[in-house]
Amino acid sequence: METLEQFLKYGMDAGLQLLTQPFYYISILFVMLVYRRQVLLERKLFHVKLHSWGMQTWRTVLGGLIAGIGVSLIVAFLGVTLTLGAILCIWVTSLILMLFHIRYLCFAYSIGLLGIIQFGLSWFPNWQPTGWTETVVSTILSLNIPALLALAAILHFAEALLVRLQGAGFATPLFLQGKRGKLVGGYHMQSFWPLPLFLLVPASSGGGTLPWTPFFGGDAWSGGFMMMALPVVIGFGEMTQSMLTQEKANITSKRLIFYGAIVLALSLLADWWAPLMIVAALATLILHEGLVWYSRYEEQQRSPIYVHPVRGLRVLAVLPDSPAHELGILPGETILKVNGTLIHNKEQLHGALRQSPAFCKLEVQNHDGESKFLQRAIYDGDHHQLGAIVAPDPRDDIAVGLKPVSLFALLANKLHIRNKRSSAAAREIAVTSESVD
């Protein structure tokens, strides 16, 4: 009972400490900017919004809070040694990496890079810097890289669960330029979660006593423990033209678990034999980039599914609370007939709907190739395509290009879409290229 009271007391202190740290608020602001940019993109492409950036921010903050508590409970048995200087060092590294690409806002990149820097500094034991350089160098050298890499691995397990549960819900439909210049439909799947972590750290004196000994730290825990708040951000980004969004999220989730398991194993080995630390740090970065490369390669090798078949119109997305949503039409399905008329393009869809302005009957082919028959009344103010956004056809004038987004581009919050007949460079807009973080 005494230990439980100590945990509650230290937990409240860590919670207050979290509220005084600017990095947690910075992470929430960052998430808001990402989702606001997503809504602007949807408005430019489709003249409607499919998501609410405020609701998405709330969902990710809540999901991150729950995941953070879960990760904190697991990491309590591993043990992580941190100071306020170490937290500052990790966050500064993350923000610097974000200047190049926002997907680098990932704990694995920051800790992997700091591990490489620590290894490099160990080759110069006689170097004695002065001033603020001395503080930075001593902080980096004091970092327990194997323990931090283990924490990064656990965070990827949590990320895998969040991707499976929420990843598909934040996907944005796009018109993309596929192979040989053909327009295809696709999805940009991007989510970030701010996680508040409450980590147990060794106390030199005056701390509580743990009923167990964490894996990392050894004798450092003999003096007791304290609790420290560490705000982190986890997230992923994927592009898919060849899979349904939930299918892509499930595959990404499995790969994140596999990646986390490898990093965890390497971190435990590095704690057992110190020379393996640099191997673990390098593997953390290389394997992460390997996941990014393989995801891109996989998409290039598969055929796109968000293209129109010989008969009917393929549905790319469905607006929330629209007639199509109420009818149960799903992305990836095909609208074959409207009011008995077989349709091949959007003009035929509009004409068939006007045949009976008060009522419509649809024949829709589902993902298994089976037909389902739907009907519904049409009311004033309903979307002109019943809320179904169909895949692009060659006559569409808008295409989206991909290029990396840095922190500066995110803060500028500018999107540029040109028509398809303009130059390839002009029609590109800044969206994050496919990646998994």
Side-chain angles (χ1 to χ4, degrees):
M1 182 62 68
E2 182 180 352
T3 303
L4 179 60
E5 291 178 356
Q6 288 177 334
F7 271 107
L8 293 176
K9 176 180 178 295
Y10 292 151
M12 293 178 63
D13 292 340
L16 293 174
Q17 181 189 107
L18 178 72
L19 296 178
T20 62
Q21 290 189 22
F23 299 115
Y24 188 55
Y25 303 106
I26 290 173
S27 64
I28 295 176
L29 178 60
F30 164 76
V31 168
M32 292 172 62
L33 289 174
V34 169
Y35 291 143
R36 184 173 181 271
R37 185 183 184 86
Q38 179 189 51
V39 171
L40 290 175
L41 174 61
E42 292 170 354
R43 287 190 179 278
K44 280 187 172 289
L45 282 175
F46 309 114
H47 308 291
V48 294
K49 67 174 185 177
L50 287 86
H51 300 91
S52 165
W53 65 268
M55 183 57 67
Q56 284 179 283
T57 301
W58 165 247
R59 287 177 59 193
T60 53
V61 169
L62 181 60
L65 176 61
I66 296 173
I69 294 173
V71 170
S72 300
L73 292 174
I74 296 173
V75 175
F77 295 92
L78 289 176
V80 178
T81 303
L82 278 179
T83 63
L84 290 176
I87 294 175
L88 182 62
C89 185
I90 292 169
W91 263 95
V92 169
T93 304
S94 298
L95 293 176
I96 291 174
L97 290 174
M98 272 187 65
L99 297 178
F100 300 94
H101 201 311
I102 64 170
R103 74 177 179 84
Y104 292 150
L105 183 62
C106 174
F107 209 65
Y109 285 106
S110 302
I111 300 305
L113 181 58
L114 288 171
I116 295 172
I117 295 174
Q118 185 186 88
F119 176 78
L121 291 174
S122 67
W123 283 79
F124 304 96
N126 297 324
W127 182 41
Q128 295 181 347
T130 59
W132 65 270
T133 307
E134 179 184 8
T135 303
V136 173
V137 169
S138 62
T139 300
I140 294 176
L141 289 175
S142 67
L143 292 175
N144 188 339
I145 297 298
L148 290 173
L149 289 176
L151 175 58
I154 302 300
L155 286 172
H156 277 80
F157 293 149
E159 181 183 331
L161 178 61
L162 290 170
V163 168
R164 181 175 289 269
L165 295 177
Q166 296 185 332
F170 297 153
T172 297
L174 302 173
F175 289 173
L176 304 169
Q177 193 167 17
K179 298 177 182 178
R180 294 179 292 276
K182 180 181 178 181
L183 281 181
V184 300
Y187 274 90
H188 182 220
M189 303 170 62
Q190 188 173 70
S191 299
F192 291 92
W193 294 273
L195 268 67
L197 300 182
F198 304 96
L199 305 178
L200 302 182
V201 295
S204 57
S205 62
T209 303
L210 283 175
W212 69 88
T213 300
F215 183 87
F216 295 101
D219 296 337
W221 296 95
S222 59
F225 74 96
M226 298 292 288
M227 189 174 290
M228 179 172 289
L230 171 63
V232 300
V233 178
I234 61 175
F236 89 116
E238 287 282 6
M239 292 292 302
T240 183
Q241 307 170 15
S242 62
M243 303 181 196
L244 299 174
T245 53
Q246 189 59 56
E247 179 186 3
K248 185 72 172 181
N250 293 343
I251 290 175
T252 300
S253 176
K254 293 177 182 178
R255 290 173 182 169
L256 286 170
I257 291 174
F258 180 70
Y259 169 80
I262 293 177
V263 173
L264 180 60
L266 289 174
S267 66
L268 298 179
L269 289 173
D271 184 70
W272 171 67
W273 192 43
L276 286 177
M277 186 277 291
I278 184 60
V279 176
L282 287 170
T284 300
L285 296 176
I286 294 172
L287 291 176
H288 209 288
E289 287 300 299
L291 289 179
V292 175
W293 173 85
Y294 186 77
S295 178
R296 294 174 180 173
Y297 175 79
E298 182 181 48
E299 286 294 327
Q300 292 172 357
Q301 299 304 308
R302 295 170 63 103
S303 299
I305 63 172
Y306 299 104
V307 294
H308 297 305
V310 177
R311 299 172 62 249
L313 291 178
R314 184 64 48 83
V315 177
L316 173 61
V318 175
L319 298 180
D321 303 320
S322 65
H325 181 263
E326 294 175 7
L327 288 168
I329 299 176
L330 301 175
E333 295 185 334
T334 303
I335 301 175
L336 295 176
K337 294 182 180 180
V338 177
N339 293 327
T341 301
L342 183 65
I343 58 174
H344 299 89
N345 53 54
K346 287 183 283 189
E347 288 76 13
Q348 292 178 344
L349 171 61
H350 300 157
L353 287 172
R354 287 196 296 268
Q355 289 178 7
S356 178
F359 198 79
C360 69
K361 294 182 179 181
L362 307 177
E363 180 182 348
V364 178
Q365 188 178 70
N366 64 17
H367 300 145
D368 297 324
E370 301 173 349
S371 291
K372 56 183 183 181
F373 299 91
L374 311 170
Q375 56 184 7
R376 182 188 185 277
I378 300 178
Y379 304 102
D380 290 338
D382 281 345
H383 190 269
H384 66 286
Q385 291 179 181
L386 302 179
I389 297 174
V390 298
D393 60 48
R395 295 170 296 173
D396 283 320
D397 291 334
I398 294 179
V400 175
L402 300 176
K403 60 181 179 179
V405 172
S406 66
L407 177 60
F408 293 126
L410 184 66
L411 293 174
N413 211 22
K414 292 181 180 179
L415 296 173
H416 301 286
I417 301 180
R418 302 288 181 87
N419 64 56
K420 180 174 173 278
R421 289 181 288 273
S422 61
S423 67
R427 69 171 174 267
E428 287 188 349
I429 66 171
V431 296
T432 18
S433 57
E434 55 268 45
S435 62
V436 52
D437 296 329

